[in-house]
Structure formats: structure tokens, C-alpha cells
Amino acid sequence: MATKVYIVYYSMYGHVEKLAEEIKKGAASVEGVEAKIWQVPETLPDEVLTKMSAPPKSDVPVITPSELPEADGFVFGFPTRFGMMAAQFKAFLDATGGLWRTQQLAGKPAGIFYSTGSQGGGQETTALTAITQLVHHGIIFVPIGYTFGAGMFEMEKVKGGSPYGAGTFAGDGSRQPSELELEQAFHQGKYIASITKKLKGAA
């Protein structure tokens, strides 16, 4: 039976979604792994999103908490809001109380990826503060560490991401994920899928 990895994200302007697509490719590159991409429900009304110049949502399916237990591992992604995950993703996690009560997600591995507006805008704190959500579910946090190699030490170009996970800088919204950031996202998907497969095989 295939190892299932769910990439679950919230993206307002598309930066996190682009990372999610690469993470899916990386996860799917591992033999025996089935990677699926999902977005969490939007909580803001359309009129507010229009005023914020947010583009229409993609056709990526919207996940419900009841579908999470189907996966063997996860990669969760979201933009930052003052150094923490966006409220839309937090609202989704707040709806997982039933899964928490029964600990249905305990022992499953998960990684985190993110987008921030600036270099000091939460590339580490966004992931760090999100770990509390995993802990209460008994989910095993899987950082990428420095497994991305030389790309982790890039100093000549602006690059998001950290040992916590893949990341990008959105700037004023016009900047898109760079080639190096997308490569790191692919690496994260492949890395977490490999670990998920090992854990499932050992269970």
C-alpha cells in the first residue's frame, strides 16, 4: 500500500501555493509515495478579499479535518501574520479537536513551510510557534535541518527558508519564489516523504 503524504496549506496571494506545488513534486518523486495537495478553507468574505487584492482561489481541493487521518505524513504551509501562522490555518487546526481527543494523528510526521514579507518577518518564528499545534496532536515535527546542503548557506542572493523548513519572501507581493527556494521546497517534500515511508514501514 502506498505511503500517503498530504501537503496542506493556506495561501492568500499564491506564494505558499507555489512552494506547495514543488513540495508535492518532491514527495511524489519518492517511490511508493502518493502525494496529494490540499488547501484549508478561507475564513474571510469575498468582499474583504477583493479589497485586499487577493486573486481567486485555485481549484485545489479544500480539506476537512476528518480527512487528515487518511495520511501517513504531512507538510503544512502558511504565510506569516506577525511572526505566526495566518488565522485561516489556525482556524482549520482549531477544528481538529475531535482528532486531538482521540489522538488519531499521534506518531505521524509533519514538516512546515511558510512565506513572509521581509527577511526579519518570521522565517523561523512562524515555524517555531506552529510546533505547539503539532505537539498537542502528538505529531512528530520533521525539520529539514541543513540537509539541503550548500543551498542553506547562500549569501549572494535573497533566499527564504531555514532549518525549520522551506520558505520564500513575498516582499510587497510582487516577488515570486526564486529557483533556489523552489529547489529547497522540492527537497523538503522528498525528505519528509522518505522519512514518512520509513516510519510507516517500521510500524
Side-chain angles (χ1 to χ4, degrees):
M1 186 177 289
T3 298
K4 291 186 178 181
V5 174
Y6 283 2
I7 298 96
V8 184
Y9 72 91
Y10 173 74
S11 188
M12 180 173 281
Y13 296 107
H15 300 83
V16 172
E17 186 167 70
K18 281 188 172 65
L19 294 180
E21 290 166 353
E22 286 302 309
I23 288 170
K24 179 186 176 183
K25 292 176 187 175
S29 73
V30 178
E31 186 179 353
V33 170
E34 177 186 322
K36 190 167 184 180
I37 192 170
W38 303 83
Q39 57 183 327
V40 302
E42 180 58 78
T43 59
L44 293 175
D46 289 340
E47 56 266 29
V48 173
L49 291 169
T50 300
K51 289 179 181 177
M52 297 175 74
S53 301
K57 298 296 182 191
S58 68
D59 57 2
V60 170
V62 175
I63 195 168
T64 61
S66 63
E67 288 165 301
L68 287 175
E70 300 169 1
D72 300 300
F74 310 97
V75 197
F76 296 129
F78 28 78
T80 193
R81 298 292 184 265
F82 304 117
M84 301 174 71
M85 70 171 65
Q88 288 87 343
F89 206 94
K90 181 62 166 63
F92 172 73
L93 292 176
D94 284 351
T96 61
L99 300 177
W100 162 77
R101 194 162 48 247
T102 54
Q103 289 291 287
Q104 289 186 64
L105 306 181
K108 295 176 185 280
I112 294 171
F113 63 105
Y114 38 82
S115 171
T116 70
S118 65
Q119 293 189 58
Q123 288 283 313
E124 293 191 23
T125 62
T126 304
L128 179 62
T129 53
I131 292 173
T132 61
Q133 311 295 303
L134 309 185
V135 167
H136 284 259
H137 275 289
I139 294 173
I140 303 166
F141 174 53
V142 180
I144 60 170
Y146 284 83
T147 60
F148 186 48
M152 295 295 292
F153 299 94
E154 173 59 49
M155 298 297 284
E156 301 303 316
K157 302 173 185 174
V158 173
K159 184 193 80 69
S162 73
Y164 288 91
T168 188
F169 294 115
D172 62 2
S174 60
R175 183 186 187 273
Q176 295 300 312
S178 68
E179 183 178 344
L180 188 58
E181 288 170 340
L182 294 175
E183 287 174 5
Q184 186 175 39
F186 183 95
H187 169 76
Q188 182 177 23
K190 184 176 181 180
Y191 182 71
I192 290 177
S194 298
I195 289 175
T196 302
K197 184 179 176 181
K198 286 179 185 176
L199 286 174
K200 185 179 181 182

